[in-house]
Amino acid sequence: MRRAVSAVIATFIGLGALASFKSTPGVPGKSASALHLKGSSAVGVPPPPGTATTAPPATRTTPTTSSGAVRTVDGDPFDNRYGTVQVRVSLRGTRITGITALQMPFDRERSAEISRQAEPLLQQEALQAQSAQIDIIGGASYTSQSYAQSLQSALDKAGR
């Protein structure tokens, strides 16, 4: 009888803890194809066989209107236990105007699924923060850390 009472009390405490848990907002339960944002269509998709996965040159500058030039800087690739993460940052002055993932983990089906879900959220976080000081996405902690490191390296190269 005492065990049953203890089990019921422990169950209620556990349910209370679950009810008060706050997850990361914006993690939709839709298919991975619905999670892609523009500029990230190739994220999580393995390259065709025989294709090199190296990134283009580290810095490019593209002229724009009279409001300034857009600089594009590639961050360093950072490996984690699930794959390599590398981002490209577009800047207008010191403002981050865009982030594109050049490499995300895709070796395993689960890694690709996590990358497709995490990349747009990480991109949104970084654009809002205007820095590499971003929240880690639950379920993608290694990818989040590598994303932030690659982003910071790109910002360092840009002198920001």
Side-chain angles (χ1 to χ4, degrees), residues 2-90:
R2 285 185 182 183
R3 280 185 168 175
V5 172
S6 297
V8 169
I9 291 172
T11 301
F12 281 120
I13 290 172
L15 288 173
L18 282 174
S20 66
F21 180 75
K22 294 181 181 171
S23 64
T24 304
V27 179
K30 298 187 180 190
S31 69
S33 62
L35 295 173
H36 281 86
L37 296 178
K38 52 185 174 176
S40 65
S41 61
V43 173
V45 177
T51 305
T53 58
T54 57
T59 305
R60 296 181 301 169
T61 302
T62 308
T64 60
T65 61
S66 61
S67 61
V70 173
R71 296 178 296 151
T72 306
V73 183
D74 291 354
D76 294 329
F78 282 87
D79 296 329
N80 63 56
R81 65 189 295 180
Y82 298 105
T84 303
V85 178
Q86 183 180 22
V87 299
R88 174 175 289 152
V89 180
S90 299

Side-chain angles (χ1 to χ4, degrees), residues 98-149:
I99 303 167
T100 303
L102 299 176
Q103 295 184 63
M104 294 290 277
F106 62 83
D107 290 347
R108 297 181 190 106
E109 186 176 327
R110 180 70 178 137
S111 296
E113 180 182 338
I114 289 170
S115 293
R116 285 189 297 268
Q117 291 178 1
E119 192 274 330
L121 298 172
L122 292 165
Q123 180 186 55
Q124 180 182 10
E125 285 272 334
L127 288 171
Q128 286 177 349
Q130 286 295 301
S131 75
Q133 301 300 314
I134 56 177
D135 290 335
I136 290 176
I137 303 299
S141 56
Y142 291 101
T143 299
S144 298
Q145 290 170 349
S146 296
Y147 189 97
Q149 290 172 318

